[in-house]
Amino acid sequence: MTDRMLVEIAQRYGTPCYVYDLESISQQIAKLKQALPEAEIYYALKANSSGGIIRHMAQHGLGAEVISLGELARALQANLNKLILTGPGHPDAFRKAALQAAYRKDIRVSLDSISQWQAWQSLAWPQKLGFLIRLNPALDPKTHEHLATGMASSKFGMSLAEAEAVACEIPSEHFLGFHVHAGSQIGELHIFSEVFERLAPLYERFKARYLDIGGGYHVPDFPLEAYAHLLRGFAERFKLRLMLEPGRYLVADSGFLLTSVLHLKEGERHHIICDAGMAELLRPALYGAKHPIRALTVGGILGSQGDLNLADVDGPLCENADRLGVDVMLPPVVEGDLLLVERTGAYGLAMSSNYGSSLRPPEVLIQGQSFRLARRRETLADLLSLEPV
Ligand code: LLP
């Protein structure tokens, strides 16, 4: 993927626009498969559920982790064979659709609470439906508070006592094992060691075949080899098969948000107002996330340079949180120049909204030297179509 190609994409489809490089996703999958060849990989669809991306995952033989009826429908449409349902809320329609699919697909359910277990019990299960029990490991995963799902105070998973109680009730032919997703953007390996300490009593007490260790790998610098070593040690100790649920690790670095400079404003700070902001990429506003931003064109010229200055890269909407970056080093761009917001393949379009009646941007897939539209830009007609007049 070259800058020239990105400029061509912006000219063809306009901005803002999301672009994904499929080869880079393939490389991430290959790295993970090489580090843990024995593990089953369930791609966390919430990171990026674009049809083109899911089909790419299916071609690589991956399964999917799904949390909603919509994600289930997308995974089934892309013909992914193995699915794990997770999340704290399973509405009737979601459970029923999953049960129907379980007659032809390998469907597993991670139970998040006793109440959820009771809801699943009220339905008739196909023979091969398998359950895991999500443990809340009650630890601090050292990440942003919104992503710290393993804290005792979080809504996720069961306490040790609850997990034991449910494990006693699940018929053994339907019981697969335990599940932990301690958080997202976890960079410190000792967190996983602590998770294993919490899990050990359960695997000592209950005969289980699987461990689902969730996702959560810190991007950009997760110590994958050391993690694989640690994980393998635990799995071998209890003779467990491994399930992984990576989201961000597989897609974050393959995605880019193209945006155009609309206006420049000099004040107490130097503001670059762009045509993308929190409606297209919520992460800077919600988590204070810092995405690398660079200029693709300067003064309309590709790849040109200039003295770097600090600027705030802001969106077009009417609140301060509507920004893509603060204190970004950029050359002296002018109106109409193109900026590239990097590492936006995960939780980018997936968390976009129509805030300010913004129209969601298109998605373009790059494969080798060619690119194609994977999802068109929303139109004003789309925006108005759900409301009867
Ligand atoms: N498995 C479960 C049960 C999860 O809840 C998640 C993410 C994953 C796997 C995948 O986690 P990953 O490998 O992508 O870290 N919107 C936030 C991230 C929220 C993640 C929620 N759960 C962000 O933009 O950083």
Side-chain angles (χ1 to χ4, degrees):
M1 186 191 73
T2 60
D3 284 4
R4 188 170 299 282
M5 187 186 268
L6 290 168
V7 172
E8 207 183 317
I9 290 172
Q11 285 165 349
R12 173 101 49 104
Y13 300 109
T15 58
C17 176
Y18 272 101
V19 182
Y20 312 120
D21 180 0
L22 291 181
E23 276 176 16
S24 136
I25 296 178
S26 301
Q27 281 166 16
Q28 291 303 99
I29 297 172
K31 276 193 230 168
L32 191 53
K33 283 186 173 174
Q34 200 181 2
L36 281 159
E38 70 274 35
E40 297 176 16
I41 305 175
Y42 294 77
Y43 167 58
L45 231 66
K46 61 177 84 61
N48 186 327
S49 56
S50 176
I53 302 274
I54 308 178
R55 282 191 291 278
H56 191 66
M57 300 303 183
Q59 281 163 14
H60 281 276
L62 270 50
E65 181 255 350
V66 301
I67 51 154
S68 66
L69 185 60
E71 286 193 350
L72 177 65
R74 283 182 178 278
L76 294 175
Q77 193 193 41
N79 217 9
L80 288 156
N81 276 323
K82 287 179 165 190
L83 306 180
I84 169 113
L85 276 56
T86 73
H90 294 172
D92 280 357
F94 182 38
R95 280 182 288 124
K96 286 183 180 151
L99 284 176
Q100 285 211 329
Y103 286 98
R104 54 202 158 87
K105 305 262 177 193
D106 179 347
I107 306 256
R108 302 171 183 190
V109 179
S110 165
L111 297 167
D112 192 79
S113 61
I114 292 184
S115 159
Q116 207 178 65
W117 164 233
Q118 286 161 350
W120 277 96
Q121 268 180 308
S122 67
L123 300 167
W125 312 327
Q127 225 172 15
K128 54 181 190 164
L129 188 73
F131 289 99
L132 291 111
I133 296 171
R134 180 158 173 180
L135 176 73
N136 181 319
L139 50 77
D140 179 0
K142 304 271 181 343
T143 181
H144 190 281
E145 58 167 326
H146 294 349
L147 312 183
T149 50
M151 306 272 279
S153 57
S154 90
K155 67 180 172 184
F156 296 97
M158 302 189 210
S159 67
L160 184 66
E162 287 172 328
E164 286 178 329
V166 174
C168 289
E169 288 184 18
I170 300 177
S172 59
E173 66 277 21
H174 289 280
F175 178 63
L176 298 178
F178 298 94
H179 173 210
V180 172
H181 173 76
S184 260
Q185 287 288 56
I186 299 179
E188 298 177 30
L189 277 187
H190 70 89
I191 307 291
F192 293 99
S193 308
E194 284 175 41
V195 168
F196 295 145
E197 276 170 31
R198 307 289 199 282
L199 280 167
L202 288 170
Y203 282 105
E204 269 154 16
R205 176 163 174 204
F206 297 97
K207 199 170 151 32
R209 281 174 288 148
Y210 285 91
L211 163 64
D212 180 348
I213 192 63
Y217 315 162
H218 190 272
V219 168
D221 48 10
F222 188 68
L224 186 61
E225 292 301 329
Y227 168 78
H229 181 72
L230 200 66
L231 196 52
R232 186 169 293 126
F234 187 79
E236 283 174 359
R237 179 171 158 205
F238 292 103
K239 302 205 170 22
L240 298 171
R241 298 195 61 181
L242 284 169
M243 296 167 65
L244 313 175
E245 301 171 350
R248 189 186 327 261
Y249 179 82
L250 297 184
V251 290
D253 279 326
S254 72
F256 304 86
L257 174 60
L258 280 163
T259 181
S260 297
V261 175
L262 297 177
H263 308 290
L264 304 172
K265 285 176 99 166
E266 299 301 337
E268 197 169 295
R269 301 178 68 84
H270 175 47
H271 294 281
I272 300 177
I273 313 287
C274 295
D275 61 4
M278 67 191 293
E280 290 73 22
L281 180 68
L282 185 60
R283 304 195 70 258
L286 191 58
Y287 314 116
K290 294 195 185 310
H291 288 264
I293 303 180
R294 64 186 177 89
L296 274 185
T297 63
V298 177
I301 299 168
L302 174 68
S304 55
Q305 296 294 322
D307 289 343
L308 296 177
N309 293 305
L310 278 182
D312 286 356
V313 181
D314 298 308
L317 302 183
C318 299
E319 60 173 288
N320 285 336
D322 181 40
R323 58 167 74 101
L324 298 170
V326 181
D327 285 339
V328 183
M329 287 293 255
L330 285 172
V333 293
V334 296
E335 291 87 344
D337 274 334
L338 278 174
L339 301 184
L340 190 69
V341 190
E342 299 183 341
R343 207 165 282 149
T344 49
Y347 308 107
L349 191 92
M351 293 176 75
S352 65
S353 75
N354 290 124
Y355 183 39
S357 289
S358 307
L359 302 172
R360 280 196 183 75
E363 294 180 301
V364 173
L365 296 177
I366 296 182
Q367 198 150 26
Q369 299 309 307
S370 61
F371 58 81
R372 64 176 191 279
L373 188 66
R375 176 186 160 114
R376 66 164 170 79
R377 184 183 304 285
E378 284 181 359
T379 62
L380 289 175
D382 292 327
L383 193 68
L384 303 175
S385 65
L386 300 178
E387 298 161 26
V389 265

